[in-house]
Amino acid sequence: MKILVLGGCGIQGRTALYDLASDPIISEIICADIRFDELSKIKNFTDMKKITTAKIDAQNKSDLLNLYKTVDVVIDLLPKDFKTHVNEAALEAKVPVVNANYMYDTKTLDQKAKDAGIAIMPECGLDPGIDLVIYGDARARFDTLSIINSYCGGFPEKKACTNPMNYKLSWIWRGVLSSTMRDARIIKDKEIIEIPGARQHDEAFVHEIEFPGLGPLEAIPNGDAIFFTDRMGLTKTIVNTGRYSLRWPGWSAFWRPLKELGFLSETPVQGLDGKVSPMDFMEKHLGPLLAYQDDEKDLVTMINIFQGMKNNKKMRFTSSMLIERDLKTGITAMSKGVAYTACIVAKMIARGEIKEKGVLSPITHIPVTPFMERLKKRGIVINEKMEELTD
């Protein structure tokens, strides 16, 4: 089996290379990127003999096609801005693609992928990704569902909380800043509530949950929960649903006044040389200050809570997960959640374990049991609890 990793020198990409190189059925991995100096970070614990490099311009279709035509499957770990180029090349080369970005408008793309006889699997990372596989599993466990609440976040272990935010970077800082301005939709007591990104951190929308072994974490609405209940055909029966980012308590109190003062605006500030927005300044100034030290762990936490009826009984299903950075290799918890998921599913498609064609979804198309078993082999364990509610 031969696999192409787009963005192979990024944090997630290097973790994918490490994971793929350990599999004896894989003969070659092509690492495609614009530079390759970061590969030195994995060379001491990765079978580098399997890895070849290819410098590409991901907006140049011929660059992509030249590589696509030599592989069995593509893992796309590039920023979402490249998705159109990546998918168009996949259709022409008739090669399946897996990526970790949120699903996009797929009506036209779905039919084109079916016509090309390929699978395109977006949302195949940590969140979205692992959570959506759990969504599909939970749907099958219940007769009807009335509550779906999903929580996920990455943040430092306590000893690494050395700044006022109690936060450090395990993914792109610009993406973190943008997520603090992301609109959200939730359902509360059967009512759809629209939460504009500017109000995301208001006290009225933030709550705390207890995470086993860590204590209270702050939950901030982040994203469109109804998008997923619509996709599952469940919105009419849902009483409460939301998707929330998790942070150490105090995160919202830090950002609330900064947002009020416009520090996340993308409009250039008048009177400065060049076109510099407050967001640009926050990215360039704070980003370098938020790096993990070699002896510090990032953590990834996830809790998904489902409630509904099964055999005329009121039941609650809870799944939880904690991932920690591996200090021996330096591989981060966040990159494990994203890259391991993408690698597992890419190989499922290449092996024919996932046979469907078109634009697929982790909710429907990833076989739950083998997926969970393969996560566990990589040290990612999902703890589950199903309980009957008597009140």
Side-chain angles (χ1 to χ4, degrees):
M1 185 185 300
K2 193 171 178 180
I3 295 181
L4 169 63
V5 181
L6 299 175
C9 284
I11 296 174
Q12 331 297 357
R14 296 194 304 271
T15 302
L17 297 178
Y18 159 71
D19 184 72
L20 295 169
S22 67
D23 190 334
I25 75 165
I26 295 178
S27 58
E28 184 179 349
I29 307 137
I30 301 176
C31 169
D33 218 313
I34 56 174
R35 55 184 177 272
F36 304 99
D37 48 305
E38 294 292 295
L39 288 182
S40 62
K41 294 183 177 180
I42 63 170
K43 66 179 183 180
N44 291 333
F45 55 86
T46 302
D47 183 0
M48 302 301 289
K49 296 188 298 295
K50 289 187 176 183
I51 299 170
T52 58
T53 59
K55 188 172 182 178
I56 62 161
D57 173 0
Q59 298 184 69
N60 185 327
K61 185 186 286 188
S62 64
D63 277 10
L64 295 174
L65 285 173
N66 287 337
L67 295 176
Y68 280 30
K69 291 176 180 178
T70 68
V71 301
D72 299 296
V73 64
V74 175
I75 297 175
D76 169 25
L77 295 172
L78 295 169
K80 62 182 179 180
D81 299 338
F82 294 97
K83 65 179 182 288
T84 299
H85 306 285
V86 169
N87 291 332
E88 285 179 353
L91 294 171
E92 189 168 334
K94 298 184 178 181
V95 175
V97 175
V98 170
N99 70 55
N101 295 318
Y102 276 103
M103 187 176 283
Y104 21 81
D105 182 8
T106 60
K107 291 181 181 177
T108 302
L109 183 61
D110 178 55
Q111 188 57 53
K112 287 181 177 179
K114 287 175 178 174
D115 292 343
I118 65 168
I120 296 176
M121 180 84 81
E123 300 180 330
C124 199
L126 169 70
D127 169 14
I130 295 174
D131 57 336
L132 300 185
V133 178
I134 295 169
Y135 271 37
D137 183 31
R139 179 175 60 181
R141 294 175 184 241
F142 286 84
D143 297 326
T144 59
L145 276 165
S146 56
I147 294 174
I148 302 176
N149 284 319
S150 184
Y151 303 85
C152 185
F155 44 80
E157 62 177 338
K158 276 293 188 180
K159 79 165 193 173
C161 292
T162 57
N163 61 61
M165 285 189 288
N166 290 331
Y167 186 79
K168 290 186 176 177
L169 291 177
S170 54
W171 61 298
I172 299 170
W173 179 226
R174 185 80 179 205
V176 176
L177 292 173
S178 296
S179 74
T180 65
M181 294 294 289
R182 182 181 295 154
D183 296 341
R185 284 202 306 164
I186 65 174
I187 295 176
K188 186 175 182 180
D189 298 328
K190 295 186 178 182
E191 180 184 354
I192 294 176
I193 299 175
E194 308 263 356
I195 304 173
R199 304 261 65 91
Q200 180 194 53
H201 294 89
D202 286 7
E203 291 184 47
F205 301 124
V206 176
H207 63 280
E208 288 190 351
I209 65 166
E210 286 284 327
F211 193 93
L214 296 180
L217 297 175
E218 193 168 284
I220 305 104
N222 193 13
D224 187 352
I226 302 169
F227 176 79
F228 295 101
T229 58
D230 281 348
R231 196 191 301 175
M232 293 190 290
L234 299 175
T235 300
K236 290 182 179 179
T237 68
I238 293 294
V239 177
N240 293 299
T241 189
R243 291 175 67 82
Y244 301 91
S245 293
L246 293 176
R247 298 286 188 267
W248 290 117
W251 177 261
S252 294
F254 180 90
W255 285 110
R256 200 176 302 126
L258 291 178
K259 290 169 76 170
E260 291 284 351
L261 292 169
F263 273 86
L264 294 179
S265 169
E266 298 200 51
T267 302
V269 177
Q270 297 299 313
L272 295 180
D273 293 337
K275 294 183 178 180
V276 180
S277 70
M279 176 80 84
D280 295 331
F281 169 77
M282 296 289 277
E283 177 188 9
K284 300 301 182 184
H285 175 62
L286 287 180
L289 304 177
L290 300 178
Y292 279 94
Q293 300 300 309
D294 290 344
D295 63 345
E296 294 177 339
K297 289 182 179 181
D298 75 307
L299 308 177
V300 165
T301 55
M302 181 184 287
I303 300 179
N304 291 281
I305 302 169
F306 307 87
Q307 193 168 301
M309 301 298 294
K310 178 68 174 178
N311 297 328
N312 294 317
K313 295 178 180 179
K314 191 175 182 181
M315 307 292 292
R316 179 189 293 134
F317 173 54
T318 305
S319 73
S320 62
M321 176 186 77
L322 174 65
I323 314 174
E324 299 183 16
R325 183 187 188 188
D326 181 349
L327 294 181
K328 289 184 178 179
T329 62
I331 290 177
T332 66
M334 183 68 70
S335 70
K336 290 179 186 179
V338 175
Y340 290 170
T341 300
C343 289
I344 290 168
V345 175
K347 287 189 285 186
M348 284 181 166
I349 292 172
R351 286 170 167 161
E353 294 175 76
I354 296 174
K355 299 182 184 301
E356 293 87 352
K357 310 302 178 184
V359 178
L360 310 184
S361 169
I363 295 173
T364 307
H365 298 103
I366 295 177
V368 176
T369 299
F371 175 77
M372 293 299 181
E373 288 173 350
R374 291 168 203 181
L375 279 183
K376 188 175 181 179
K377 286 181 179 179
R378 291 161 171 80
I380 299 178
V381 178
I382 314 293
N383 298 301
E384 300 179 349
K385 181 180 181 182
M386 180 72 90
E387 57 189 325
E388 183 178 354
L389 302 177
T390 56
D391 57 325

Short mmCIF file of all heavy atoms in Angstrom, two decimals, residues 2-46:
data_model
loop_
_atom_site.label_atom_id
_atom_site.label_comp_id
_atom_site.label_asym_id
_atom_site.label_seq_id
_atom_site.Cartn_x
_atom_site.Cartn_y
_atom_site.Cartn_z
N LYS A 2 0.47 2.24 -0.78
CA LYS A 2 1.23 3.48 -0.89
C LYS A 2 0.30 4.65 -0.56
O LYS A 2 -0.80 4.75 -1.12
CB LYS A 2 1.79 3.61 -2.31
CG LYS A 2 2.83 4.68 -2.50
CD LYS A 2 3.45 4.56 -3.88
CE LYS A 2 4.47 5.65 -4.15
NZ LYS A 2 5.07 5.53 -5.50
N ILE A 3 0.74 5.51 0.36
CA ILE A 3 -0.11 6.58 0.87
C ILE A 3 0.60 7.93 0.72
O ILE A 3 1.80 8.06 0.99
CB ILE A 3 -0.47 6.34 2.34
CG1 ILE A 3 -1.33 5.07 2.47
CG2 ILE A 3 -1.21 7.54 2.94
CD1 ILE A 3 -1.77 4.74 3.88
N LEU A 4 -0.17 8.93 0.29
CA LEU A 4 0.31 10.30 0.19
C LEU A 4 -0.22 11.11 1.36
O LEU A 4 -1.42 11.09 1.64
CB LEU A 4 -0.17 10.92 -1.13
CG LEU A 4 0.02 12.43 -1.32
CD1 LEU A 4 1.50 12.80 -1.32
CD2 LEU A 4 -0.66 12.89 -2.62
N VAL A 5 0.67 11.82 2.06
CA VAL A 5 0.28 12.70 3.16
C VAL A 5 0.55 14.13 2.73
O VAL A 5 1.71 14.55 2.61
CB VAL A 5 1.03 12.37 4.46
CG1 VAL A 5 0.57 13.32 5.58
CG2 VAL A 5 0.81 10.92 4.86
N LEU A 6 -0.51 14.90 2.49
CA LEU A 6 -0.38 16.32 2.16
C LEU A 6 -0.23 17.11 3.44
O LEU A 6 -1.04 16.97 4.36
CB LEU A 6 -1.60 16.79 1.39
CG LEU A 6 -1.88 16.11 0.04
CD1 LEU A 6 -3.20 16.59 -0.54
CD2 LEU A 6 -0.74 16.35 -0.94
N GLY A 7 0.79 17.95 3.50
CA GLY A 7 1.07 18.65 4.76
C GLY A 7 1.81 17.75 5.73
O GLY A 7 1.64 17.85 6.95
N GLY A 8 2.65 16.88 5.20
CA GLY A 8 3.30 15.86 6.02
C GLY A 8 4.32 16.37 7.01
O GLY A 8 4.72 15.62 7.92
N CYS A 9 4.75 17.61 6.88
CA CYS A 9 5.75 18.14 7.81
C CYS A 9 5.13 18.97 8.93
O CYS A 9 5.86 19.47 9.81
CB CYS A 9 6.78 18.98 7.07
SG CYS A 9 7.96 17.98 6.17
N GLY A 10 3.81 19.13 8.92
CA GLY A 10 3.14 19.82 10.02
C GLY A 10 3.07 18.94 11.26
O GLY A 10 3.48 17.77 11.25
N ILE A 11 2.52 19.48 12.32
CA ILE A 11 2.43 18.73 13.59
C ILE A 11 1.62 17.45 13.40
O ILE A 11 2.03 16.36 13.81
CB ILE A 11 1.82 19.60 14.70
CG1 ILE A 11 2.74 20.79 15.00
CG2 ILE A 11 1.60 18.78 15.97
CD1 ILE A 11 2.14 21.78 15.98
N GLN A 12 0.45 17.57 12.77
CA GLN A 12 -0.38 16.39 12.54
C GLN A 12 0.25 15.49 11.48
O GLN A 12 0.21 14.27 11.58
CB GLN A 12 -1.81 16.78 12.09
CG GLN A 12 -2.35 18.11 12.56
CD GLN A 12 -2.52 18.23 14.05
OE1 GLN A 12 -2.28 17.28 14.78
NE2 GLN A 12 -2.91 19.40 14.51
N GLY A 13 0.84 16.12 10.46
CA GLY A 13 1.44 15.34 9.37
C GLY A 13 2.57 14.45 9.83
O GLY A 13 2.67 13.29 9.43
N ARG A 14 3.45 14.97 10.71
CA ARG A 14 4.56 14.16 11.21
C ARG A 14 4.06 12.99 12.02
O ARG A 14 4.63 11.88 11.97
CB ARG A 14 5.51 15.02 12.05
CG ARG A 14 6.19 16.13 11.27
CD ARG A 14 7.34 16.73 12.05
NE ARG A 14 6.99 17.25 13.35
CZ ARG A 14 6.57 18.48 13.59
NH1 ARG A 14 6.41 19.34 12.58
NH2 ARG A 14 6.29 18.88 14.82
N THR A 15 2.99 13.19 12.77
CA THR A 15 2.41 12.09 13.54
C THR A 15 1.83 11.04 12.61
O THR A 15 1.95 9.83 12.86
CB THR A 15 1.34 12.62 14.50
OG1 THR A 15 1.94 13.59 15.37
CG2 THR A 15 0.74 11.51 15.35
N ALA A 16 1.22 11.47 11.51
CA ALA A 16 0.71 10.52 10.52
C ALA A 16 1.85 9.71 9.91
O ALA A 16 1.74 8.49 9.74
CB ALA A 16 -0.07 11.26 9.44
N LEU A 17 2.94 10.37 9.57
CA LEU A 17 4.09 9.65 9.00
C LEU A 17 4.60 8.60 9.96
O LEU A 17 4.89 7.46 9.58
CB LEU A 17 5.21 10.64 8.67
CG LEU A 17 4.93 11.72 7.63
CD1 LEU A 17 6.15 12.62 7.48
CD2 LEU A 17 4.55 11.12 6.29
N TYR A 18 4.73 8.95 11.22
CA TYR A 18 5.20 8.02 12.25
C TYR A 18 4.27 6.81 12.35
O TYR A 18 4.72 5.65 12.37
CB TYR A 18 5.28 8.76 13.59
CG TYR A 18 5.26 7.86 14.80
CD1 TYR A 18 6.36 7.06 15.12
CD2 TYR A 18 4.15 7.82 15.64
CE1 TYR A 18 6.35 6.24 16.24
CE2 TYR A 18 4.13 7.01 16.75
CZ TYR A 18 5.23 6.21 17.05
OH TYR A 18 5.21 5.40 18.15
N ASP A 19 2.97 7.08 12.37
CA ASP A 19 2.00 5.99 12.51
C ASP A 19 2.01 5.09 11.28
O ASP A 19 2.05 3.85 11.40
CB ASP A 19 0.61 6.57 12.73
CG ASP A 19 -0.43 5.51 12.99
OD1 ASP A 19 -0.41 4.91 14.08
OD2 ASP A 19 -1.26 5.24 12.09
N LEU A 20 2.00 5.66 10.11
CA LEU A 20 1.96 4.87 8.88
C LEU A 20 3.22 4.03 8.69
O LEU A 20 3.17 2.89 8.23
CB LEU A 20 1.76 5.79 7.67
CG LEU A 20 0.43 6.55 7.60
CD1 LEU A 20 0.49 7.61 6.52
CD2 LEU A 20 -0.74 5.61 7.37
N ALA A 21 4.36 4.61 9.06
CA ALA A 21 5.63 3.92 8.84
C ALA A 21 5.77 2.65 9.68
O ALA A 21 6.56 1.77 9.35
CB ALA A 21 6.79 4.86 9.15
N SER A 22 4.98 2.54 10.74
CA SER A 22 5.06 1.35 11.59
C SER A 22 4.23 0.19 11.08
O SER A 22 4.28 -0.91 11.64
CB SER A 22 4.58 1.71 13.01
OG SER A 22 3.19 2.02 13.01
N ASP A 23 3.46 0.41 10.01
CA ASP A 23 2.56 -0.62 9.49
C ASP A 23 3.26 -1.40 8.38
O ASP A 23 3.61 -0.84 7.34
CB ASP A 23 1.29 0.03 8.95
CG ASP A 23 0.21 -0.99 8.62
OD1 ASP A 23 0.55 -2.16 8.34
OD2 ASP A 23 -0.98 -0.63 8.65
N PRO A 24 3.45 -2.71 8.54
CA PRO A 24 4.18 -3.50 7.53
C PRO A 24 3.48 -3.58 6.19
O PRO A 24 4.13 -3.86 5.17
CB PRO A 24 4.30 -4.88 8.18
CG PRO A 24 3.27 -4.92 9.26
CD PRO A 24 3.10 -3.52 9.73
N ILE A 25 2.17 -3.35 6.13
CA ILE A 25 1.49 -3.43 4.83
C ILE A 25 1.74 -2.19 3.97
O ILE A 25 1.42 -2.19 2.79
CB ILE A 25 -0.03 -3.66 4.98
CG1 ILE A 25 -0.74 -2.39 5.43
CG2 ILE A 25 -0.33 -4.82 5.89
CD1 ILE A 25 -2.24 -2.45 5.23
N ILE A 26 2.29 -1.14 4.57
CA ILE A 26 2.56 0.08 3.83
C ILE A 26 3.99 0.06 3.32
O ILE A 26 4.94 -0.03 4.10
CB ILE A 26 2.30 1.32 4.70
CG1 ILE A 26 0.81 1.40 5.05
CG2 ILE A 26 2.74 2.60 3.98
CD1 ILE A 26 0.44 2.54 5.95
N SER A 27 4.13 0.15 2.01
CA SER A 27 5.46 0.07 1.40
C SER A 27 6.11 1.42 1.24
O SER A 27 7.34 1.54 1.29
CB SER A 27 5.36 -0.62 0.04
OG SER A 27 4.48 0.10 -0.81
N GLU A 28 5.29 2.46 1.02
CA GLU A 28 5.86 3.80 0.82
C GLU A 28 4.87 4.87 1.27
O GLU A 28 3.66 4.74 1.10
CB GLU A 28 6.21 4.02 -0.66
CG GLU A 28 6.91 5.36 -0.91
CD GLU A 28 7.28 5.58 -2.37
OE1 GLU A 28 7.19 4.62 -3.16
OE2 GLU A 28 7.66 6.73 -2.70
N ILE A 29 5.43 5.92 1.86
CA ILE A 29 4.65 7.09 2.27
C ILE A 29 5.29 8.30 1.61
O ILE A 29 6.49 8.54 1.77
CB ILE A 29 4.65 7.28 3.79
CG1 ILE A 29 4.23 5.99 4.51
CG2 ILE A 29 3.76 8.44 4.20
CD1 ILE A 29 5.07 5.66 5.70
N ILE A 30 4.49 9.05 0.86
CA ILE A 30 5.01 10.28 0.25
C ILE A 30 4.62 11.45 1.15
O ILE A 30 3.44 11.68 1.41
CB ILE A 30 4.46 10.50 -1.16
CG1 ILE A 30 4.82 9.32 -2.07
CG2 ILE A 30 4.99 11.80 -1.74
CD1 ILE A 30 4.22 9.43 -3.46
N CYS A 31 5.61 12.15 1.63
CA CYS A 31 5.40 13.35 2.45
C CYS A 31 5.48 14.56 1.53
O CYS A 31 6.55 14.90 1.04
CB CYS A 31 6.48 13.42 3.54
SG CYS A 31 6.51 15.00 4.41
N ALA A 32 4.33 15.20 1.30
CA ALA A 32 4.27 16.35 0.40
C ALA A 32 4.10 17.63 1.21
O ALA A 32 3.20 17.74 2.04
CB ALA A 32 3.12 16.19 -0.58
N ASP A 33 4.97 18.58 0.96
CA ASP A 33 4.93 19.84 1.70
C ASP A 33 5.79 20.85 0.95
O ASP A 33 6.30 20.56 -0.15
CB ASP A 33 5.42 19.65 3.14
CG ASP A 33 4.62 20.49 4.13
OD1 ASP A 33 4.43 21.69 3.85
OD2 ASP A 33 4.20 19.97 5.18
N ILE A 34 5.99 22.03 1.56
CA ILE A 34 6.81 23.04 0.90
C ILE A 34 8.24 23.06 1.43
O ILE A 34 9.14 23.60 0.81
CB ILE A 34 6.18 24.45 1.02
CG1 ILE A 34 5.93 24.81 2.50
CG2 ILE A 34 4.90 24.52 0.23
CD1 ILE A 34 5.44 26.23 2.68
N ARG A 35 8.46 22.48 2.61
CA ARG A 35 9.82 22.32 3.15
C ARG A 35 9.82 21.12 4.10
O ARG A 35 8.76 20.70 4.58
CB ARG A 35 10.31 23.58 3.85
CG ARG A 35 9.42 24.09 4.95
CD ARG A 35 9.96 25.40 5.52
NE ARG A 35 9.07 25.93 6.53
CZ ARG A 35 8.04 26.73 6.28
NH1 ARG A 35 7.80 27.10 5.03
NH2 ARG A 35 7.26 27.17 7.25
N PHE A 36 11.00 20.62 4.43
CA PHE A 36 11.08 19.32 5.09
C PHE A 36 12.01 19.30 6.31
O PHE A 36 12.30 18.23 6.83
CB PHE A 36 11.52 18.26 4.07
CG PHE A 36 10.62 18.21 2.87
CD1 PHE A 36 10.99 18.85 1.70
CD2 PHE A 36 9.41 17.57 2.92
CE1 PHE A 36 10.16 18.84 0.58
CE2 PHE A 36 8.56 17.55 1.83
CZ PHE A 36 8.94 18.18 0.65
N ASP A 37 12.45 20.46 6.78
CA ASP A 37 13.36 20.49 7.91
C ASP A 37 12.74 19.90 9.18
O ASP A 37 13.45 19.34 10.02
CB ASP A 37 13.85 21.92 8.18
CG ASP A 37 12.72 22.94 8.20
OD1 ASP A 37 11.97 23.00 7.22
OD2 ASP A 37 12.59 23.67 9.20
N GLU A 38 11.42 19.99 9.31
CA GLU A 38 10.75 19.49 10.52
C GLU A 38 10.77 17.97 10.62
O GLU A 38 10.49 17.41 11.68
CB GLU A 38 9.30 19.99 10.57
CG GLU A 38 9.16 21.50 10.72
CD GLU A 38 9.62 21.98 12.08
OE1 GLU A 38 8.98 21.62 13.09
OE2 GLU A 38 10.61 22.71 12.16
N LEU A 39 11.09 17.28 9.53
CA LEU A 39 11.16 15.82 9.59
C LEU A 39 12.23 15.33 10.57
O LEU A 39 12.16 14.20 11.07
CB LEU A 39 11.44 15.24 8.21
CG LEU A 39 10.29 15.28 7.19
CD1 LEU A 39 10.72 14.62 5.90
CD2 LEU A 39 9.03 14.64 7.75
N SER A 40 13.20 16.18 10.87
CA SER A 40 14.25 15.79 11.82
C SER A 40 13.68 15.48 13.20
O SER A 40 14.28 14.76 13.98
CB SER A 40 15.30 16.90 11.93
OG SER A 40 14.71 18.10 12.43
N LYS A 41 12.48 16.01 13.49
CA LYS A 41 11.87 15.81 14.81
C LYS A 41 11.36 14.39 15.02
O LYS A 41 11.08 14.00 16.15
CB LYS A 41 10.75 16.82 15.03
CG LYS A 41 11.24 18.26 15.10
CD LYS A 41 10.11 19.22 15.38
CE LYS A 41 10.64 20.65 15.52
NZ LYS A 41 9.56 21.63 15.81
N ILE A 42 11.20 13.61 13.94
CA ILE A 42 10.68 12.24 14.10
C ILE A 42 11.67 11.17 13.67
O ILE A 42 11.38 9.97 13.78
CB ILE A 42 9.35 12.06 13.34
CG1 ILE A 42 9.54 12.24 11.82
CG2 ILE A 42 8.27 13.00 13.86
CD1 ILE A 42 8.34 11.82 10.98
N LYS A 43 12.82 11.56 13.17
CA LYS A 43 13.73 10.58 12.55
C LYS A 43 14.28 9.55 13.54
O LYS A 43 14.62 8.43 13.14
CB LYS A 43 14.89 11.30 11.87
CG LYS A 43 15.84 12.04 12.81
CD LYS A 43 16.97 12.71 12.04
CE LYS A 43 17.96 13.39 12.99
NZ LYS A 43 19.06 14.04 12.24
N ASN A 44 14.34 9.88 14.83
CA ASN A 44 14.93 8.96 15.81
C ASN A 44 13.97 7.84 16.22
O ASN A 44 14.40 6.87 16.86
CB ASN A 44 15.39 9.72 17.05
CG ASN A 44 16.58 10.62 16.78
OD1 ASN A 44 17.37 10.34 15.88
ND2 ASN A 44 16.70 11.68 17.54
N PHE A 45 12.70 7.93 15.89
CA PHE A 45 11.75 6.89 16.29
C PHE A 45 10.81 6.49 15.16
O PHE A 45 9.80 5.83 15.40
CB PHE A 45 10.94 7.36 17.52
CG PHE A 45 10.23 8.68 17.34
CD1 PHE A 45 8.97 8.75 16.76
CD2 PHE A 45 10.84 9.85 17.75
CE1 PHE A 45 8.33 9.95 16.59
CE2 PHE A 45 10.20 11.08 17.59
CZ PHE A 45 8.94 11.13 17.02
N THR A 46 11.13 6.85 13.93
CA THR A 46 10.28 6.56 12.78
C THR A 46 11.10 5.85 11.71
O THR A 46 12.27 6.18 11.49
CB THR A 46 9.68 7.86 12.21
OG1 THR A 46 8.94 8.53 13.23
CG2 THR A 46 8.76 7.58 11.03
#
